[in-house]
Each structure stands twice: as C-alpha cells, then as structure tokens.
C-alpha cells in the first residue's frame, strides 16, 4: 500500500517569526507549518510526518531525503515515496515569506520546554543501560540538546528521534545516551530553547544509598563483638557442664 501525501496534509497553517533569545547556538529566522509538514528557514531543516491514532509512523527529513520509520518494522508493511514529503516541505519553504508578510511579522510566543530523564531498564551498577531524555512542550521545534556526564559533554553513541507532534500543536523529542551506571557518575540533559532564559538541565544519578565512611569498620567491630559474645557463652556453658554432678 502506498500512502498518498494528500492523506496526511491537514488544514492548519502556522507562521512564526523567531529571534534568538538565550540559546546562543540556535540559529533560525522563520518557521512555517502546514499540517504535518514544517520547515525552519535555516539550512536544510524541515520535517514531514505521518501519524495514525496520535502516534507517528514515519517522518521525511530534508537532510536524509528518505522516509525514516519510527520502528523499522513499520516499513515492512507499507511504503511511502519520500518525494511526496519533500514536495510538501518545499511548498512551505516557497511560501514562507508570504506567511510572514500576512502575519504583519508578528512574533510567535516561545513556549518553555519540559525535561524528564529516565533509564530504559532497571539500573544495576556496572550493567549497560540507556538514559532517555524526554523533551516535551516544545514550540517552536528548534532546540539544542546536549548530554553531560560529570559536567563534561558526551557525544559517543547518542541518538535522537525526529519531532513528534502533540495534540496542542506543541512538539516533543527523545534523546538517548548509552551508558554504564557507576556510583560516582551523574548525568545531565542540557536543553537550550528560545522559551528559556538560560539552559535547562534535566538531572539524573544512580539511586544508590551512600555508605558512611566508617561503615566497614563498624561492620567489622559488630562482627567481632558478636563472635566474642558467642565464645563467652560457649565457655560458660562448657564450664557449667563440666562442674555438674555426674
């Protein structure tokens, strides 16, 4: 089955005039959206998505110029020509100036995103796992996300999804970091966005109860005391048995 681009085009038209406001490395001028397609006027940045029952099935990215399925298995059941998505983004790109002028260059409201970090599976120290940074409530869909371990940037193995739309016309995004939990390591997901006065940090660290510095000494002393008491009891018991009349 081939999905037609006409089936996934909505009637919602949105224009945004953007200016940097606190996220210094984010660069964009305008963003136009038509249904599930949106385009930001910086470089080759845009996205065309297809959703079913509120869940995204795939997206078409300008940089990759291919359909990227949310789960690889989805591509086994159907097919989509990415040229349809690219054409939709091209329409937005061509008419972006018109949308800007019609809006009287009104600047849209930047919505502060929310950040949540959680592990993919139960955390065991020394066992490989994946941290998931969920960034929601995003508008406009232009954002910088950086992983930090003990305050240092981590780039090896990181991955991310495309933007997923929300029913309220905001967006969400998922970022992933493979890691091996260690008791002394802490992780942060740093988010930069126009809706923030400064970088927003989502923090995570292993929930391992810290041991007091003298915990080992205390344990040894307790064991020694217990052993001594047992020895005394045995000596007393043996003395009583030996002195008992036969």
């Amino acid at each position: 089955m081939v999905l037609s681009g006409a089936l996934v085009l909505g009637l919602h038209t949105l224009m945004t005039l953007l200016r940097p406001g606190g996220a210094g490395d984010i660069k964009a001028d305008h963003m136009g959206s038509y249904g599930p397609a949106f385009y930001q006027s910086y470089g080759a940045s845009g996205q065309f998505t297809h959703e079913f029952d509120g869940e995204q099935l795939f997206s078409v990215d300008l940089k990759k110029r291919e359909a990227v399925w949310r789960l690889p298995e989805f591509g086994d059941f159907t097919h989509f020509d990415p040229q349809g998505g690219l054409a939709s983004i091209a329409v937005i790109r061509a008419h972006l100036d018109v949308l800007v002028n019609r809006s009287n260059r009104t600047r849209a409201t930047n919505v502060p995103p929310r950040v949540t970090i959680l592990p993919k599976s139960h955390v065991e120290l020394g066992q490989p796992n994946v941290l998931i940074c969920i960034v929601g409530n995003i508008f406009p869909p232009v954002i910088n996300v950086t992983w930090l371990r003990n305050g240092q940037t981590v780039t090896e193995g990181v991955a991310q999804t495309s933007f997923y739309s929300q029913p309220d016309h905001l967006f969400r995004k998922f970022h992933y970091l493979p890691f091996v939990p260690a008791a002394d390591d802490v992780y942060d997901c740093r988010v930069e966005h126009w809706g923030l006065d400064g970088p927003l940090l989502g923090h995570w660290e292993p929930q391992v109860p810290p041991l007091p510095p003298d915990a080992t000494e205390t344990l040894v002393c307790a064991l020694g005391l217990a052993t001594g008491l047992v020895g005394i009891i045995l000596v007393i018991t043996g003395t009583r048995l030996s002195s008992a009349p036969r």
Side-chain angles (χ1 to χ4, degrees):
M1 178 181 67
V2 179
L3 298 175
S4 170
L7 295 178
V8 291
L9 284 179
L11 298 177
H12 175 66
T13 301
L14 176 68
M15 194 293 305
T16 302
L17 177 63
L18 306 176
R19 297 289 183 187
D25 293 334
I26 303 177
K27 300 178 180 179
D29 293 317
H30 309 96
M31 191 277 286
S33 172
Y34 184 77
F38 64 87
Y39 168 77
Q40 292 101 29
S41 61
Y42 68 104
S45 179
Q47 183 179 304
F48 177 89
T49 64
H50 176 76
E51 299 181 358
F52 178 76
D53 196 23
E55 295 294 334
Q56 179 175 305
L57 297 183
F58 68 87
S59 65
V60 177
D61 191 277
L62 277 176
K63 295 179 181 179
K64 296 182 179 180
R65 295 185 175 275
E66 61 181 11
V68 181
W69 298 91
R70 183 172 182 179
L71 294 178
E73 293 81 2
F74 291 167
D76 297 334
F77 298 99
T78 186
H79 170 75
F80 179 78
D81 184 359
Q83 292 302 317
L86 295 174
S88 298
I89 300 174
V91 170
I92 294 297
R93 183 175 184 177
H95 292 86
L96 190 54
D97 289 339
V98 175
L99 296 174
V100 171
N101 292 330
R102 286 183 178 179
S103 72
N104 294 322
R105 308 188 75 83
T106 302
R107 185 177 301 179
T109 301
N110 298 319
V111 181
R114 292 191 290 260
V115 181
T116 303
I117 298 182
L118 50 85
K120 182 178 179 181
S121 57
H122 177 70
V123 175
E124 296 183 17
L125 297 182
Q127 298 300 314
N129 208 321
V130 177
L131 279 181
I132 306 173
C133 180
I134 306 171
V135 187
N137 210 53
I138 304 171
F139 187 84
V142 183
I143 196 168
N144 278 350
V145 176
T146 307
W147 283 104
L148 304 174
R149 180 177 64 234
N150 300 327
Q152 302 298 314
T153 301
V154 181
T155 59
E156 184 177 358
V158 299
Q160 60 181 296
T161 66
S162 58
F163 286 99
Y164 297 153
S165 65
Q166 299 178 183
D168 53 7
H169 303 299
L170 303 178
F171 295 86
R172 65 185 184 274
K173 210 169 191 288
F174 297 81
H175 287 252
Y176 304 94
L177 173 66
F179 78 116
V180 177
D184 298 331
D185 286 342
V186 297
Y187 293 85
D188 294 286
C189 179
R190 184 176 66 195
V191 175
E192 299 172 283
H193 187 264
W194 284 296
L196 301 169
D197 294 331
L200 174 63
L201 292 180
H203 184 77
W204 186 90
E205 57 186 271
Q207 300 299 313
V208 179
L211 290 176
D214 58 345
T216 303
E217 297 178 4
T218 302
L219 180 60
V220 171
C221 291
L223 290 176
L225 179 60
T227 302
L229 290 175
V230 172
I232 293 174
I233 293 173
L234 292 176
V235 170
I236 294 175
T237 301
T239 302
R240 288 179 178 178
L241 290 176
S242 60
S243 61
R246 296 179 179 276

